[in-house]
PDB file of all heavy atoms in Angstrom:
ATOM      1  N   TYR A 148      -5.699  -3.483  26.164  1.00 84.00           N
ATOM      2  CA  TYR A 148      -6.089  -3.823  24.801  1.00 84.00           C
ATOM      3  C   TYR A 148      -5.226  -4.916  24.176  1.00 84.00           C
ATOM      4  O   TYR A 148      -5.388  -5.251  22.994  1.00 84.00           O
ATOM      5  CB  TYR A 148      -6.061  -2.581  23.920  1.00 84.00           C
ATOM      6  CG  TYR A 148      -7.108  -1.558  24.291  1.00 84.00           C
ATOM      7  CD1 TYR A 148      -6.746  -0.348  24.885  1.00 84.00           C
ATOM      8  CD2 TYR A 148      -8.460  -1.816  24.082  1.00 84.00           C
ATOM      9  CE1 TYR A 148      -7.711   0.587  25.235  1.00 84.00           C
ATOM     10  CE2 TYR A 148      -9.429  -0.892  24.428  1.00 84.00           C
ATOM     11  CZ  TYR A 148      -9.048   0.310  25.003  1.00 84.00           C
ATOM     12  OH  TYR A 148     -10.006   1.226  25.360  1.00 84.00           O
ATOM     13  N   GLY A 149      -4.275  -5.468  24.945  1.00 82.00           N
ATOM     14  CA  GLY A 149      -3.441  -6.537  24.428  1.00 82.00           C
ATOM     15  C   GLY A 149      -2.533  -6.098  23.292  1.00 82.00           C
ATOM     16  O   GLY A 149      -2.292  -6.862  22.348  1.00 82.00           O
ATOM     17  N   LEU A 150      -1.983  -4.886  23.382  1.00 82.00           N
ATOM     18  CA  LEU A 150      -1.203  -4.334  22.275  1.00 82.00           C
ATOM     19  C   LEU A 150       0.297  -4.584  22.395  1.00 82.00           C
ATOM     20  O   LEU A 150       1.039  -4.410  21.432  1.00 82.00           O
ATOM     21  CB  LEU A 150      -1.458  -2.819  22.166  1.00 82.00           C
ATOM     22  CG  LEU A 150      -2.787  -2.456  21.507  1.00 82.00           C
ATOM     23  CD1 LEU A 150      -3.111  -0.994  21.724  1.00 82.00           C
ATOM     24  CD2 LEU A 150      -2.732  -2.755  20.026  1.00 82.00           C
ATOM     25  N   ASP A 151       0.782  -4.954  23.589  1.00 83.00           N
ATOM     26  CA  ASP A 151       2.201  -5.272  23.775  1.00 83.00           C
ATOM     27  C   ASP A 151       3.092  -4.124  23.304  1.00 83.00           C
ATOM     28  O   ASP A 151       4.005  -4.303  22.491  1.00 83.00           O
ATOM     29  CB  ASP A 151       2.546  -6.563  23.030  1.00 83.00           C
ATOM     30  CG  ASP A 151       3.937  -7.084  23.400  1.00 83.00           C
ATOM     31  OD1 ASP A 151       4.412  -6.744  24.496  1.00 83.00           O
ATOM     32  OD2 ASP A 151       4.541  -7.809  22.583  1.00 83.00           O
ATOM     33  N   VAL A 152       2.835  -2.922  23.833  1.00 88.00           N
ATOM     34  CA  VAL A 152       3.642  -1.734  23.512  1.00 88.00           C
ATOM     35  C   VAL A 152       4.510  -1.394  24.717  1.00 88.00           C
ATOM     36  O   VAL A 152       4.009  -1.232  25.833  1.00 88.00           O
ATOM     37  CB  VAL A 152       2.739  -0.536  23.150  1.00 88.00           C
ATOM     38  CG1 VAL A 152       3.566   0.744  23.044  1.00 88.00           C
ATOM     39  CG2 VAL A 152       2.000  -0.817  21.852  1.00 88.00           C
ATOM     40  N   ARG A 153       5.826  -1.281  24.474  1.00 90.00           N
ATOM     41  CA  ARG A 153       6.770  -0.964  25.550  1.00 90.00           C
ATOM     42  C   ARG A 153       7.128   0.520  25.492  1.00 90.00           C
ATOM     43  O   ARG A 153       7.690   0.983  24.492  1.00 90.00           O
ATOM     44  CB  ARG A 153       8.036  -1.811  25.411  1.00 90.00           C
ATOM     45  CG  ARG A 153       7.800  -3.300  25.597  1.00 90.00           C
ATOM     46  CD  ARG A 153       9.013  -4.140  25.249  1.00 90.00           C
ATOM     47  NE  ARG A 153       9.286  -4.144  23.811  1.00 90.00           N
ATOM     48  CZ  ARG A 153      10.375  -3.670  23.246  1.00 90.00           C
ATOM     49  NH1 ARG A 153      11.333  -3.111  23.995  1.00 90.00           N
ATOM     50  NH2 ARG A 153      10.550  -3.724  21.948  1.00 90.00           N
ATOM     51  N   PRO A 154       6.823   1.294  26.529  1.00 91.00           N
ATOM     52  CA  PRO A 154       7.051   2.746  26.473  1.00 91.00           C
ATOM     53  C   PRO A 154       8.506   3.134  26.312  1.00 91.00           C
ATOM     54  O   PRO A 154       8.812   4.187  25.750  1.00 91.00           O
ATOM     55  CB  PRO A 154       6.482   3.246  27.806  1.00 91.00           C
ATOM     56  CG  PRO A 154       6.422   2.052  28.693  1.00 91.00           C
ATOM     57  CD  PRO A 154       6.194   0.880  27.800  1.00 91.00           C
ATOM     58  N   GLU A 155       9.420   2.280  26.773  1.00 92.00           N
ATOM     59  CA  GLU A 155      10.851   2.628  26.717  1.00 92.00           C
ATOM     60  C   GLU A 155      11.487   2.257  25.376  1.00 92.00           C
ATOM     61  O   GLU A 155      12.623   2.662  25.085  1.00 92.00           O
ATOM     62  CB  GLU A 155      11.605   1.939  27.855  1.00 92.00           C
ATOM     63  CG  GLU A 155      11.781   0.437  27.704  1.00 92.00           C
ATOM     64  CD  GLU A 155      10.534  -0.377  28.086  1.00 92.00           C
ATOM     65  OE1 GLU A 155       9.517   0.236  28.479  1.00 92.00           O
ATOM     66  OE2 GLU A 155      10.596  -1.619  27.984  1.00 92.00           O
ATOM     67  N   ALA A 156      10.801   1.512  24.527  1.00 91.00           N
ATOM     68  CA  ALA A 156      11.374   1.057  23.256  1.00 91.00           C
ATOM     69  C   ALA A 156      11.623   2.227  22.319  1.00 91.00           C
ATOM     70  O   ALA A 156      10.828   3.168  22.248  1.00 91.00           O
ATOM     71  CB  ALA A 156      10.436   0.052  22.597  1.00 91.00           C
ATOM     72  N   ILE A 157      12.756   2.184  21.606  1.00 92.00           N
ATOM     73  CA  ILE A 157      13.053   3.189  20.592  1.00 92.00           C
ATOM     74  C   ILE A 157      12.323   2.789  19.310  1.00 92.00           C
ATOM     75  O   ILE A 157      12.399   1.640  18.876  1.00 92.00           O
ATOM     76  CB  ILE A 157      14.580   3.285  20.334  1.00 92.00           C
ATOM     77  CG1 ILE A 157      15.313   3.597  21.651  1.00 92.00           C
ATOM     78  CG2 ILE A 157      14.868   4.367  19.282  1.00 92.00           C
ATOM     79  CD1 ILE A 157      14.903   4.893  22.330  1.00 92.00           C
ATOM     80  N   VAL A 158      11.623   3.724  18.710  1.00 89.00           N
ATOM     81  CA  VAL A 158      10.738   3.428  17.578  1.00 89.00           C
ATOM     82  C   VAL A 158      11.489   2.776  16.432  1.00 89.00           C
ATOM     83  O   VAL A 158      10.987   1.845  15.793  1.00 89.00           O
ATOM     84  CB  VAL A 158      10.014   4.713  17.118  1.00 89.00           C
ATOM     85  CG1 VAL A 158       9.334   4.507  15.772  1.00 89.00           C
ATOM     86  CG2 VAL A 158       8.986   5.139  18.158  1.00 89.00           C
ATOM     87  N   ARG A 159      12.716   3.220  16.144  1.00 85.00           N
ATOM     88  CA  ARG A 159      13.447   2.669  14.994  1.00 85.00           C
ATOM     89  C   ARG A 159      13.761   1.189  15.162  1.00 85.00           C
ATOM     90  O   ARG A 159      14.032   0.493  14.182  1.00 85.00           O
ATOM     91  CB  ARG A 159      14.738   3.462  14.764  1.00 85.00           C
ATOM     92  CG  ARG A 159      15.776   3.292  15.852  1.00 85.00           C
ATOM     93  CD  ARG A 159      17.151   3.828  15.458  1.00 85.00           C
ATOM     94  NE  ARG A 159      18.095   3.675  16.554  1.00 85.00           N
ATOM     95  CZ  ARG A 159      18.363   4.606  17.456  1.00 85.00           C
ATOM     96  NH1 ARG A 159      17.769   5.783  17.375  1.00 85.00           N
ATOM     97  NH2 ARG A 159      19.217   4.398  18.430  1.00 85.00           N
ATOM     98  N   ASP A 160      13.741   0.690  16.397  1.00 82.00           N
ATOM     99  CA  ASP A 160      14.050  -0.714  16.655  1.00 82.00           C
ATOM    100  C   ASP A 160      12.823  -1.616  16.558  1.00 82.00           C
ATOM    101  O   ASP A 160      12.937  -2.834  16.704  1.00 82.00           O
ATOM    102  CB  ASP A 160      14.663  -0.866  18.059  1.00 82.00           C
ATOM    103  CG  ASP A 160      15.991  -0.132  18.188  1.00 82.00           C
ATOM    104  OD1 ASP A 160      16.686   0.010  17.166  1.00 82.00           O
ATOM    105  OD2 ASP A 160      16.323   0.303  19.308  1.00 82.00           O
ATOM    106  N   LEU A 161      11.664  -1.029  16.316  1.00 81.00           N
ATOM    107  CA  LEU A 161      10.419  -1.796  16.288  1.00 81.00           C
ATOM    108  C   LEU A 161      10.101  -2.262  14.877  1.00 81.00           C
ATOM    109  O   LEU A 161      10.433  -1.598  13.897  1.00 81.00           O
ATOM    110  CB  LEU A 161       9.259  -0.937  16.812  1.00 81.00           C
ATOM    111  CG  LEU A 161       9.386  -0.401  18.241  1.00 81.00           C
ATOM    112  CD1 LEU A 161       8.192   0.467  18.581  1.00 81.00           C
ATOM    113  CD2 LEU A 161       9.510  -1.544  19.244  1.00 81.00           C
ATOM    114  N   SER A 162       9.437  -3.409  14.779  1.00 73.00           N
ATOM    115  CA  SER A 162       8.969  -3.885  13.475  1.00 73.00           C
ATOM    116  C   SER A 162       7.828  -2.989  13.001  1.00 73.00           C
ATOM    117  O   SER A 162       7.283  -2.183  13.762  1.00 73.00           O
ATOM    118  CB  SER A 162       8.471  -5.321  13.587  1.00 73.00           C
ATOM    119  OG  SER A 162       7.257  -5.363  14.334  1.00 73.00           O
ATOM    120  N   VAL A 163       7.455  -3.154  11.724  1.00 71.00           N
ATOM    121  CA  VAL A 163       6.368  -2.353  11.174  1.00 71.00           C
ATOM    122  C   VAL A 163       5.067  -2.613  11.940  1.00 71.00           C
ATOM    123  O   VAL A 163       4.321  -1.683  12.260  1.00 71.00           O
ATOM    124  CB  VAL A 163       6.176  -2.661   9.672  1.00 71.00           C
ATOM    125  CG1 VAL A 163       4.979  -1.914   9.117  1.00 71.00           C
ATOM    126  CG2 VAL A 163       7.429  -2.280   8.891  1.00 71.00           C
ATOM    127  N   GLY A 164       4.799  -3.887  12.252  1.00 74.00           N
ATOM    128  CA  GLY A 164       3.587  -4.216  13.001  1.00 74.00           C
ATOM    129  C   GLY A 164       3.589  -3.591  14.385  1.00 74.00           C
ATOM    130  O   GLY A 164       2.552  -3.110  14.866  1.00 74.00           O
ATOM    131  N   GLU A 165       4.746  -3.592  15.040  1.00 81.00           N
ATOM    132  CA  GLU A 165       4.851  -2.968  16.360  1.00 81.00           C
ATOM    133  C   GLU A 165       4.639  -1.457  16.267  1.00 81.00           C
ATOM    134  O   GLU A 165       3.974  -0.858  17.126  1.00 81.00           O
ATOM    135  CB  GLU A 165       6.223  -3.278  16.967  1.00 81.00           C
ATOM    136  CG  GLU A 165       6.381  -4.717  17.408  1.00 81.00           C
ATOM    137  CD  GLU A 165       7.801  -5.048  17.821  1.00 81.00           C
ATOM    138  OE1 GLU A 165       8.754  -4.505  17.211  1.00 81.00           O
ATOM    139  OE2 GLU A 165       7.973  -5.853  18.746  1.00 81.00           O
ATOM    140  N   GLN A 166       5.193  -0.832  15.237  1.00 84.00           N
ATOM    141  CA  GLN A 166       4.994   0.605  15.068  1.00 84.00           C
ATOM    142  C   GLN A 166       3.524   0.950  14.864  1.00 84.00           C
ATOM    143  O   GLN A 166       3.028   1.964  15.357  1.00 84.00           O
ATOM    144  CB  GLN A 166       5.821   1.117  13.887  1.00 84.00           C
ATOM    145  CG  GLN A 166       7.316   1.128  14.157  1.00 84.00           C
ATOM    146  CD  GLN A 166       8.100   1.739  13.014  1.00 84.00           C
ATOM    147  OE1 GLN A 166       7.685   2.712  12.419  1.00 84.00           O
ATOM    148  NE2 GLN A 166       9.258   1.159  12.713  1.00 84.00           N
ATOM    149  N   GLN A 167       2.819   0.088  14.146  1.00 83.00           N
ATOM    150  CA  GLN A 167       1.393   0.363  13.962  1.00 83.00           C
ATOM    151  C   GLN A 167       0.641   0.282  15.293  1.00 83.00           C
ATOM    152  O   GLN A 167      -0.237   1.094  15.562  1.00 83.00           O
ATOM    153  CB  GLN A 167       0.783  -0.600  12.958  1.00 83.00           C
ATOM    154  CG  GLN A 167      -0.659  -0.216  12.638  1.00 83.00           C
ATOM    155  CD  GLN A 167      -1.323  -1.185  11.724  1.00 83.00           C
ATOM    156  OE1 GLN A 167      -1.558  -2.311  12.118  1.00 83.00           O
ATOM    157  NE2 GLN A 167      -1.627  -0.762  10.518  1.00 83.00           N
ATOM    158  N   ARG A 168       0.990  -0.695  16.127  1.00 86.00           N
ATOM    159  CA  ARG A 168       0.344  -0.785  17.435  1.00 86.00           C
ATOM    160  C   ARG A 168       0.659   0.454  18.274  1.00 86.00           C
ATOM    161  O   ARG A 168      -0.190   0.943  19.031  1.00 86.00           O
ATOM    162  CB  ARG A 168       0.789  -2.060  18.158  1.00 86.00           C
ATOM    163  CG  ARG A 168       0.371  -3.336  17.451  1.00 86.00           C
ATOM    164  CD  ARG A 168       0.362  -4.533  18.390  1.00 86.00           C
ATOM    165  NE  ARG A 168       1.685  -4.860  18.890  1.00 86.00           N
ATOM    166  CZ  ARG A 168       2.540  -5.673  18.267  1.00 86.00           C
ATOM    167  NH1 ARG A 168       2.214  -6.211  17.095  1.00 86.00           N
ATOM    168  NH2 ARG A 168       3.700  -5.949  18.808  1.00 86.00           N
ATOM    169  N   VAL A 169       1.881   0.968  18.124  1.00 90.00           N
ATOM    170  CA  VAL A 169       2.253   2.209  18.819  1.00 90.00           C
ATOM    171  C   VAL A 169       1.365   3.362  18.354  1.00 90.00           C
ATOM    172  O   VAL A 169       0.894   4.166  19.160  1.00 90.00           O
ATOM    173  CB  VAL A 169       3.747   2.530  18.575  1.00 90.00           C
ATOM    174  CG1 VAL A 169       4.085   3.943  19.055  1.00 90.00           C
ATOM    175  CG2 VAL A 169       4.638   1.517  19.279  1.00 90.00           C
ATOM    176  N   GLU A 170       1.132   3.448  17.042  1.00 89.00           N
ATOM    177  CA  GLU A 170       0.281   4.518  16.496  1.00 89.00           C
ATOM    178  C   GLU A 170      -1.151   4.412  17.017  1.00 89.00           C
ATOM    179  O   GLU A 170      -1.773   5.413  17.394  1.00 89.00           O
ATOM    180  CB  GLU A 170       0.279   4.456  14.962  1.00 89.00           C
ATOM    181  CG  GLU A 170       1.520   5.014  14.302  1.00 89.00           C
ATOM    182  CD  GLU A 170       1.483   6.523  14.158  1.00 89.00           C
ATOM    183  OE1 GLU A 170       0.833   7.192  14.987  1.00 89.00           O
ATOM    184  OE2 GLU A 170       2.104   7.042  13.216  1.00 89.00           O
TER     185      GLU A 170
END
Side-chain angles (χ1 to χ4, degrees):
Y148 293 109
L150 282 167
D151 191 24
V152 171
R153 295 171 290 117
E155 72 280 0
I157 303 300
V158 167
R159 68 167 178 266
D160 297 331
L161 301 178
S162 70
V163 176
E165 288 172 325
Q166 289 184 39
Q167 187 184 68
R168 296 201 295 272
V169 169
E170 283 278 29

